[in-house]
Amino acid sequence: MTTEITRTVRVHADDVEANTRRGGDIRTTLSPKTTGCTSGFGGVLSLEPGEHVTEHYHPYSEEFLHVVTGRLEMTMDGQVVQLGPGDSLLVPIGVRHRLVNTGTESAHAAFHLSPLAPRPDLGHVDTEKVARPEQPNPSVGGAS
């Protein structure tokens, strides 16, 4: 039996708008908005040397991070974890976390969060002033 795919399932990072609200260049490629998925969302992140993603937590979702290039430091509830190419990290639900590029080159990572929060506005709780408060939160779609 063959299953017909009836929705978009491939999204290139250049086809979605960068979000820099919390720092870095975050592109949500796979989400309810872009593909109609229902179990989570994910994408790619780029950080230049010294750049960081401001501290926040996810009250409903686990975050999975996989480092492709560069040196990153994730602080989770005060505990520092050093990361390099090939490292993957789980950020449990409710854990405050902040990501910094501690290297001398651009860092690139892939991320996924699951499950989705009941509403997009409940997905992130900022615990540090965001880098660019004038920018909106990433638009991942889903129930509102």
Side-chain angles (χ1 to χ4, degrees), residues 4-128:
E4 182 180 344
I5 298 173
T6 59
R7 64 181 183 204
T8 301
V9 293
R10 179 187 175 274
V11 179
H12 193 280
D14 291 341
D15 293 337
V16 297
E17 186 176 343
N19 187 283
T20 59
R21 178 178 173 81
R22 290 181 181 85
D25 179 317
I26 300 171
R27 295 174 189 253
T28 302
T29 53
L30 302 174
S31 70
K33 178 181 177 180
T34 60
T35 66
C37 61
T38 60
S39 64
F41 69 93
V44 293
L45 160 71
S46 297
L47 286 174
E48 295 303 316
E51 253 187 328
H52 69 277
V53 175
T54 55
E55 187 184 81
H56 61 281
Y57 68 92
H58 311 283
Y60 296 94
S61 307
E62 295 177 311
E63 182 171 349
F64 305 86
L65 181 76
H66 178 78
V67 180
V68 178
T69 63
R71 307 300 293 170
L72 296 170
E73 179 180 283
M74 180 73 85
T75 303
M76 301 190 317
D77 281 348
Q79 181 179 348
V80 176
V81 179
Q82 301 294 328
L83 302 165
D87 285 334
S88 294
L89 179 71
L90 168 67
V91 179
I93 293 172
V95 171
R96 293 164 58 136
H97 55 286
R98 185 178 201 270
L99 187 64
V100 179
N101 179 341
T102 56
T104 58
E105 64 183 39
S106 296
H108 302 279
F111 66 90
H112 178 78
L113 284 86
S114 181
L116 291 171
R119 295 190 328 251
D121 61 308
L122 299 176
H124 281 76
V125 176
D126 293 308
T127 54
E128 175 180 17

